[in-house]
Amino acid sequence: MSRRIALSVVAGAVVLAGAGAFALAYAGDRDPVPALAHSAVHYTAPSSGRDGSLFFTTEVSAPSGVSGLKVLAWPERSGFAKKQPTAEEMAAVESATCTPARGHTVRCVYRTPVSAADASSAHGAWHIAVLATAKDGHTAFDTKAADFTVA
């Protein structure tokens, strides 16, 4: 084998090894847990015989993709104040509607009507708990993803 061919083979092996190391390092930096961003809540109180509404939005990103988002609004002055909602309890609550935003990110929207009876029974601070689930099964749980007040 000529010296020129041997140097080419060695140089190619070094480049491939460097590219492989970079790929492994990049893959290791990607957190598999879903990430929440830009969470916001808007509460409208019922009035004049019309229902109000609770509207929550957030963006969820996960390297494997997002399979769903569960949402629970809970009053600060409740049993959850001492023992906040758990991820296991969140499995039974309502889901948000998620649509693709970009790459591995989805924009999720949760909307529910609020009746006058609902609003009159729980004045004060409220929190939004969310459970995001990635397609690979990893989850992210936040008991206070957003806050609002019922007056």
Side-chain angles (χ1 to χ4, degrees), residues 21-108:
F22 175 77
L24 285 174
Y26 178 72
D29 285 344
R30 295 180 69 189
D31 190 358
V33 175
L36 301 170
H38 312 294
S39 297
V41 63
H42 180 74
Y43 168 75
T44 303
S47 65
S48 303
R50 300 177 84 183
D51 281 349
S53 65
L54 176 67
F55 185 74
F56 173 75
T57 62
T58 193
E59 289 184 356
V60 185
S61 299
S64 66
V66 178
S67 67
L69 181 78
K70 298 284 192 162
V71 179
L72 173 68
W74 60 278
E76 189 170 276
R77 290 185 292 170
S78 71
F80 285 130
K82 291 181 182 177
K83 183 185 169 282
Q84 295 183 1
T86 65
E88 292 77 25
E89 292 167 332
M90 292 293 292
V93 302
E94 295 178 344
S95 295
T97 302
C98 300
T99 55
R102 64 190 178 286
H104 298 291
T105 301
V106 295
R107 181 167 178 78
C108 299

Side-chain angles (χ1 to χ4, degrees), residues 85-138:
T86 65
E88 292 77 25
E89 292 167 332
M90 292 293 292
V93 302
E94 295 178 344
S95 295
T97 302
C98 300
T99 55
R102 64 190 178 286
H104 298 291
T105 301
V106 295
R107 181 167 178 78
C108 299
V109 176
Y110 173 78
R111 179 179 291 193
T112 190
V114 178
S115 70
D118 293 336
S120 67
S121 65
H123 292 281
W126 283 66
H127 308 287
I128 301 288
V130 295
L131 176 65
T133 305
K135 288 183 179 177
D136 65 5
H138 286 93

